[in-house]
Amino acid sequence: MPSWTWQGLRAGRQTTRYPKRPPEPAELGMSWPSLGAAEFSAELAASCPTAAISASSQGELRIDYGRCIGCGICARHRPEEIAMLRRCDVASTARAGLIAPELLGPAPGPLARFRGSLHLLHFDAGSDGGEESELQQLVSPAYDLHRLGIFFTPSPRHADVLLVTGSPTAALSPGLLEVYAAMPAPKWVVAYGTDAVSGGLWSERGVDAYLPVDLYVPGSPPSPLALLRSLLLWLGKEVVDT
Amino acid sequence: MSTLIPMAGDLAAWRGRARFAQLAVLGGEVRQVLYREGGYLVLRAEPPLPRLGESWPALYWAELEAERWYGLAFSAQEGQGRDLLDSNPQLFAFPYGPVRETQSEAIFHRIVSGGERIAAVELRPFLKRRGVERRLGEIPLAWLPRVAERLAALSSVADSLAVARAAEAATGAVPPPRAELWRVVFAELERLYNHLDYFARQAATATLRVGEAQAATLKEGVQRLAEQLSASRFLRGLVAVGGLVAEPPLPSGSWLAELDALQRRAAAYLDRLLATELFVDRLERSGAVSRQGALDFCLVGPSARASGLGQDLRVDPGYGAYPELGLGVPIHEEGDALARCRVRAEELRISFDLIQRAVSALRRVGGPVHNPPGPLPPGSEALGYAEGPRGETLAYLRCDASGQPHWALRPASQLLWPAFAQGMRMSSSQMDYIINQVSFHPLQAAWDR
Ligand code: SF4
């Protein structure tokens, strides 16, 4: 029988140095449309499959990163002005903080001085499985979430945070509310992935149509590092981004 | 391109001569799709349809879905399935899901058991139903692959290819040869990280924590290679109707060296895994599906090939650049979880090789990567297919006389879940339940649609 322990040790360190060192380019994950000098037009807005593009009251271009799935169609409409850029810093504690160009990163939340470990309960309310795949990578050696004192628990009784994926479907939203009710207070909710943030391609309803959301992490799906980073900032921890 | 051979006749008469592939309800019209060596056959059916699902198990869920979601009318009921609980007072049922440990998709099953042994697993699908097919019918041609690739993240490439190929067949926009080579690179990268995801989870069911971690690390490596080509860890945003959205950066020397390193590490990993008695013993004879069972349930992909069926759309009928690149189809006969594991282990090696060969062909084959499609002709019908990591994804497109498109998708997982549940009947312990769920590696989001 081969020795798995020996093999595991021999492989050496495979975990990202983040948050002590800046992320590697390969860890950034999804690409987002940069606005640059692009101007709003109705035709540009109509090109977007998730209706993420709109105009401000002054007629300036706005992109709702809470709806954007990073498909790149708008960038092909305006190749001179809009570029797709890899970034892992799209997240906010306020839904309005996801409207580019005025992005607000995650502000330190109520747990900012919290010294203990954080327990997350994952609830799939209708995702396409991408977020789940990334959550599994997040606990694998490449990101090793546990080293940062953040753990998953299958029990609502032990959970501080409900981490929801997917735009809640009719069949799963009652379960979502039940699980939330079973969690002891104080409790918080994270919407992980564009579908959970806004409904994305499928609906107009994100998780915040059902529960108060404390942290929004959009993306289709957001990279493991994007979630790691937003949780750390929300916990008031330091991260080295550049 | 897909050949639709319209046939008259009775679906039941085809049993044993063709594999049932799809029951599609498209804006009131019904199509039954069958596969026979070399291509697909399509029957036009008039409702009410006879209900065949209890004698031909592959049809059971297809009929239920068509009835429930599309209001398709069926004539006589077959004999009602007996409720095991009523007839057997020693049995009890308990729910499994939707919240699960290990950050998995929401599924919901009812497990009927008399203690240690499982008597039946009842599936409760469609909790995650988002209405993907309806959405496909509402959007312009250019968005189709962007929506299709969100049917299920882990089969983004296969699903977007099936939909794109249907639209290509309907519009006549044949993808240029260079686009077909790229599609092989993407589809095989997708197969790699899916199979590695499978190995991570299967190792976990045998409590091999290091084995789980190492496969997850290899998966991460492949996803990062994918990300370098596509700016997406799930290879999204690449496939277009008529080819590709844009020419990706040609793999650099360091990209190829990394692929090579991953291939060697994966080979060493699989040697270790398959030499680990604890792992092999748990999988052996677990969840066995006989060759006849695989035919009855119309199994697809690695699960079919593990039960002795040599079907792989890349070879038969062959599509895209696969016939010119050539590939073998690993087949095992035992039909158990171990056979499904061995098939994937061999496929991993084949996919690495295919990527290498497709990349070197890309150095020789020039030309564009996109042939822009025209509009969908009213009255057109087409079938698109692709061999994904779990088997065949089908996409049936019918554009009605007013130009309104209707879509019906048939993901591989629709056939895998029922075969898994059947494999659990009567003979399995509760430990086998998790082992086999992973062993078929089905996606709930894909089935629910
Ligand atoms: S990238 Fe796609 S989803 Fe995002 S704003 Fe542009 S068109 Fe819309």
Side-chain angles (χ1 to χ4, degrees):
Chain A
M1 165 111 73
S3 163
W4 287 95
T5 320
W6 169 237
Q7 279 297 329
L9 292 172
R10 222 177 57 157
R13 185 189 168 103
Q14 307 191 339
T15 307
T16 173
R17 304 277 168 178
Y18 194 81
K20 294 221 169 69
R21 307 251 186 88
E24 306 279 334
E27 294 168 349
L28 290 175
M30 197 179 130
S31 298
W32 299 84
S34 72
L35 277 63
E39 286 182 7
F40 176 81
S41 76
E43 171 245 359
L44 181 66
S47 76
C48 172
T50 62
I53 298 175
S54 66
S56 71
S57 52
Q58 280 84 46
E60 290 151 339
L61 177 63
R62 294 283 176 271
I63 299 186
D64 181 355
Y65 281 0
R67 295 204 63 81
C68 172
I69 53 171
C71 71
I73 293 177
C74 57
R76 282 194 301 286
H77 269 255
R78 298 278 187 85
E80 307 292 312
E81 297 157 21
I82 301 179
M84 298 300 290
L85 297 180
R86 291 174 168 90
R87 54 195 292 186
C88 65
D89 62 345
V90 179
S92 183
T93 32
R95 180 67 181 83
L98 294 174
I99 317 286
E102 279 123 29
L103 295 179
L104 301 171
L111 287 171
R113 282 171 310 281
F114 184 66
R115 290 265 157 250
S117 52
L118 189 73
H119 285 87
L120 309 173
L121 172 65
H122 160 239
F123 188 93
D124 169 10
S127 84
D128 67 12
E131 284 78 12
E132 283 67 24
S133 179
E134 295 296 48
L135 291 177
Q136 287 176 339
Q137 291 310 102
L138 195 56
V139 297
S140 81
Y143 301 95
D144 192 11
L145 187 67
H146 302 162
R147 82 200 141 105
L148 301 163
I150 306 176
F151 300 91
F152 282 97
T153 170
S155 159
R157 304 267 168 237
H158 301 143
D160 309 299
V161 169
L162 184 58
L163 181 99
V164 190
T165 61
S167 168
T169 63
L172 282 164
S173 46
L176 174 67
L177 298 177
E178 261 174 57
V179 166
Y180 181 75
M183 288 168 59
K187 51 191 168 185
W188 296 275
V189 177
V190 175
Y192 177 52
T194 301
D195 293 352
V197 169
S198 68
L201 275 173
W202 315 114
S203 83
E204 293 299 316
R205 288 154 81 84
V207 176
D208 59 8
Y210 302 85
L211 293 173
V213 170
D214 298 278
L215 178 61
Y216 296 88
V217 187
S220 186
S223 66
L225 202 90
L227 179 59
L228 188 90
R229 180 181 181 278
S230 1
L231 285 173
L232 289 174
L233 287 175
W234 185 63
L235 289 172
K237 306 253 164 87
E238 266 187 47
V239 302
V240 179
D241 279 332
T242 46
Chain B
M1 211 32 69
S2 68
T3 42
L4 291 189
I5 308 168
M7 308 286 291
D10 181 8
L11 180 62
W14 284 95
R15 183 157 188 199
R17 292 191 290 144
R19 170 166 70 84
F20 167 75
Q22 188 177 20
L23 174 59
V25 188
L26 306 126
E29 296 260 330
V30 185
R31 301 287 182 269
Q32 292 159 326
V33 184
L34 294 155
Y35 189 79
R36 204 177 46 172
E37 211 169 300
Y40 290 93
L41 314 174
V42 177
L43 311 180
R44 285 162 197 266
E46 288 294 329
L49 268 54
R51 200 182 290 271
L52 304 172
E54 282 188 28
S55 51
W56 192 351
L59 273 121
Y60 180 82
W61 279 103
E63 290 175 349
L64 235 94
E65 284 189 49
E67 187 174 35
R68 170 156 174 205
W69 298 107
Y70 295 96
L72 185 61
F74 287 89
S75 56
Q77 302 273 344
E78 281 192 343
Q80 292 292 320
R82 226 163 18 104
D83 192 328
L84 277 168
L85 288 178
D86 288 347
S87 57
N88 200 333
Q90 299 96 298
L91 294 180
F92 56 93
F94 57 93
Y96 176 81
V99 181
R100 301 195 282 162
E101 62 276 39
T102 67
Q103 302 83 56
S104 313
E105 276 194 280
I107 62 172
F108 189 50
H109 296 167
R110 209 168 73 121
I111 300 177
V112 182
S113 171
E116 179 55 20
R117 300 258 143 206
I118 290 179
V121 173
E122 297 172 8
L123 306 171
R124 296 278 191 276
F126 311 129
L127 297 182
K128 304 208 327 168
R129 193 169 179 88
R130 292 159 291 164
V132 179
E133 290 155 331
R134 177 182 44 77
R135 195 86 178 91
L136 287 171
E138 296 168 350
I139 57 174
L141 214 56
W143 295 359
L144 287 176
R146 303 294 77 78
V147 173
E149 67 199 4
R150 284 168 176 82
L151 171 65
L154 281 168
S155 54
S156 292
V157 176
D159 300 337
S160 59
L161 277 178
V163 165
R165 287 166 48 78
E168 284 156 8
T171 57
V174 179
R178 191 172 170 82
E180 293 289 16
L181 284 170
W182 272 118
R183 286 177 170 191
V184 168
V185 175
F186 305 148
E188 298 311 312
L189 280 168
E190 179 171 84
R191 201 176 318 278
L192 289 183
Y193 59 67
N194 271 276
H195 284 4
L196 290 165
D197 181 74
Y198 155 79
F199 286 114
R201 298 206 199 181
Q202 193 76 89
T205 63
T207 63
L208 286 177
R209 292 295 160 202
V210 179
E212 177 190 5
Q214 289 185 345
T217 306
L218 289 166
K219 174 189 170 196
E220 181 70 22
V222 177
Q223 279 196 284
R224 288 184 183 191
L225 287 182
E227 200 272 348
Q228 285 178 42
L229 294 184
S230 66
S232 160
R233 288 165 57 86
F234 293 88
L235 294 158
R236 286 173 165 171
L238 297 163
V239 174
V241 177
L244 302 184
V245 162
E247 171 86 37
L250 200 67
S252 62
S254 63
W255 192 96
L256 287 167
E258 178 60 20
L259 184 74
D260 213 43
L262 285 169
Q263 178 164 14
R264 271 182 279 113
R265 280 166 56 200
Y269 169 81
L270 291 172
D271 286 347
R272 270 200 306 286
L273 188 68
L274 290 166
T276 302
E277 277 163 42
L278 173 74
F279 181 80
V280 171
D281 288 352
R282 289 232 169 149
L283 268 58
E284 203 165 14
R285 283 185 292 279
S286 180
V289 179
S290 65
R291 187 186 155 86
Q292 189 56 46
L295 287 169
D296 289 345
F297 279 83
C298 296
L299 267 182
V300 289
S303 305
R305 302 193 273 276
S307 292
L309 304 183
Q311 59 192 42
D312 186 326
L313 298 177
R314 295 174 293 173
V315 172
D316 176 14
Y319 63 93
Y322 288 110
E324 98 197 43
L325 292 170
L327 70 146
V329 179
I331 301 170
H332 283 254
E333 303 290 337
E334 301 80 5
D336 56 0
L338 184 61
R340 290 188 281 276
C341 176
R342 289 194 196 281
V343 166
R344 289 192 185 88
E346 288 162 40
E347 289 187 8
L348 211 60
R349 183 179 51 74
I350 294 171
S351 292
F352 273 115
D353 286 349
L354 274 171
I355 296 169
Q356 305 271 14
R357 276 185 282 142
V359 168
S360 48
L362 276 167
R363 302 195 189 283
R364 297 190 306 269
V365 179
V369 293
H370 194 218
N371 178 12
L376 287 175
S380 58
E381 277 189 40
L383 178 74
Y385 52 85
E387 181 78 22
R390 290 160 191 76
E392 160 199 68
T393 297
L394 289 182
Y396 201 103
L397 163 66
R398 174 179 163 260
C399 194
D400 67 21
S402 72
Q404 170 65 45
H406 303 274
W407 286 91
L409 303 178
R410 211 298 327 283
S413 298
Q414 185 189 312
L415 298 169
L416 300 180
W417 277 114
F420 152 74
Q422 176 65 22
M424 290 293 94
R425 266 187 117 80
M426 297 305 181
S427 58
S428 297
S429 74
Q430 292 183 25
M431 202 178 73
D432 288 323
Y433 175 75
I434 296 292
I435 289 180
N436 275 291
Q437 214 191 88
V438 171
S439 152
F440 287 92
H441 205 217
L443 299 170
Q444 192 68 50
W447 187 15
D448 288 359
R449 308 203 285 294

